[in-house]
Amino acid sequence: MLSPPPTAWNEGLRVFERGWLSSNNVLLHGEPDEGAVLVDASHTLHAAQTVAMMHAALGRETLVRVVNTHLHSDHCGGNAALQRAFGCGIHIPPGLFASAREWDAGALSHATTGQTCERFEPEGVIAPGDVLQVGRRRWQALAAPGHDPHSIMLFDEQAGVLISADALWQNGFGVVFPELDGEPGFAEVGAVLDLIDELAPRQVIPGHGAPFSDVAEALARARRRLAGFHADPQRHLQHGARVLMKYHLMEARSQPWPELREWLSTTPLMATVWQRLGRPEGDLANWGEGVLRSLVDSGALAWREGVVHDA
Ligand SMILES: [Zn+2]
């Protein structure tokens, strides 16, 4: 017998809004005996908290699967801990399945971005076109390249709910990582924004920040931001460098400047961005100090007595 469609956008699901170091989690409750599915697992450093939150939210329900929208460390870092705690399978987009199986940290971006992510064992894939049926909801997986070439989104057409990952936030979208590496990505971001416009979701659950329903306004903001980056790709490179450094400090919490310099010189993507900007200052560390100063000036980081702190 077919069940009636959900009536409220959040019926049968629960959104855990986390911070910026950790992606949000979306817990999709199943029918009795079906088990629940969790979309995205947050960061490794918050894994114990993620497991505790899921234990509390699940009660007697089992967690049968974790699905990752993409494999950035803030979305899949909790996979290993969830796997240990619940014995759940982990399904990821197909593009990096082989790399994740072998744990090729370079291909997975955790090494090139200088980020931390605990190894996990993927069990299967969720590919664009697949339908994830959980409880009364049918979520269609959609390709969402741009921020990450392999990312997917999940769309429940009947309820008009989109899990957008980092393709659309209420105020912007995630750094367009391929562009930092000299690969095209802006056109893909634009095409995904067009796709979201066509889907016309009534509610968006982003990878970071609160769920929102003013989707047209968010799309307009994202398109303006994209046009600005497109017109001035150097601005996007500088933005990317600031995001990478801020994210690293969110992981490290605080770090003496010499150690941060060491991180700069051992993080390939920072060197790539510096080179693509035309090697400003003629020295990676001097340029990095300028990136740090701009983050301190904006209040994103603090720098006291030679130690840099997340602010
Ligand atoms: Zn991401």
Side-chain angles (χ1 to χ4, degrees):
M1 193 183 86
L2 279 174
S3 324
T7 50
W9 75 266
N10 57 354
E11 188 186 321
L13 67 82
R14 184 157 165 200
V15 180
F16 297 82
E17 188 186 341
R18 310 293 289 270
W20 287 93
L21 179 60
S22 269
S23 69
N24 293 339
N25 319 110
V26 189
L27 185 60
L28 308 174
H29 293 289
E31 298 285 15
D33 301 327
E34 183 187 355
V37 173
L38 183 67
V39 180
D40 282 338
S42 298
H43 194 279
T44 300
L45 293 179
H46 296 161
Q49 188 186 21
T50 305
V51 168
M53 285 162 58
M54 293 313 135
H55 269 303
L58 285 161
R60 296 152 80 100
E61 193 177 17
T62 54
L63 182 66
V64 292
R65 193 185 301 174
V66 171
V67 168
N68 294 126
T69 56
H70 61 301
L71 296 188
H72 286 160
S73 55
D74 53 334
H75 291 256
C76 71
N79 282 1
L82 288 163
Q83 211 162 26
R84 279 194 297 273
F86 298 99
C88 50
I90 294 183
H91 289 208
I92 64 175
L96 288 173
F97 184 77
S99 303
R101 269 276 161 109
E102 293 156 21
W103 206 253
D104 176 350
L108 295 172
S109 87
H110 309 137
T112 53
T113 56
Q115 295 174 4
T116 309
C117 186
E118 189 183 353
R119 181 174 185 167
F120 63 89
E121 280 292 326
E123 173 193 76
V125 298
I126 177 157
D130 285 354
V131 171
L132 177 67
Q133 171 93 41
V134 190
R136 290 199 256 148
R137 289 173 177 266
R138 283 170 57 85
W139 300 89
Q140 194 187 355
L142 301 163
H147 164 70
D148 177 90
H150 309 292
S151 186
I152 59 157
M153 307 185 288
L154 292 166
F155 185 53
D156 174 352
E157 185 177 7
Q158 199 151 31
V161 179
L162 177 72
I163 298 175
S164 65
D166 295 341
L168 179 69
W169 298 334
Q170 190 162 24
N171 197 6
F173 47 81
V175 169
V176 187
F177 277 94
E179 291 278 344
L180 300 186
D181 253 333
E183 301 290 331
F186 293 145
E188 286 78 357
V189 171
V192 171
L193 295 177
D194 290 346
L195 170 64
I196 295 173
D197 211 349
E198 281 167 36
L199 298 172
R202 295 187 288 283
Q203 190 75 36
V204 172
I205 305 171
H208 301 269
F212 59 91
S213 56
D214 55 340
V215 184
E217 290 89 337
L219 282 169
R221 278 191 292 272
R223 284 181 167 131
R224 278 198 299 276
R225 192 170 177 79
L226 178 64
F229 286 150
H230 211 122
D232 186 358
Q234 299 252 318
R235 219 184 87 204
H236 177 260
L237 289 170
Q238 285 155 354
H239 168 66
R242 281 194 297 273
V243 168
L244 284 169
M245 190 180 283
K246 166 71 178 171
Y247 191 87
H248 170 65
L249 260 302
M250 287 195 293
E251 280 190 345
R253 305 295 298 275
S254 68
Q255 200 160 47
W257 167 236
E259 281 180 30
L260 183 56
R261 277 177 75 116
E262 179 64 19
W263 173 81
L264 267 171
S265 64
T266 55
T267 297
L269 194 53
M270 289 301 278
T272 303
V273 169
W274 173 67
Q275 282 160 12
R276 299 200 59 243
L277 283 166
R279 300 169 179 260
E281 317 260 352
D283 179 85
L284 175 64
N286 288 349
W287 165 74
E289 190 173 331
V291 175
L292 169 58
R293 285 191 192 285
S294 77
L295 286 164
V296 171
D297 288 346
S298 69
L301 296 178
W303 193 0
R304 292 186 296 270
E305 289 155 17
V307 180
V308 182
H309 303 267
D310 187 29

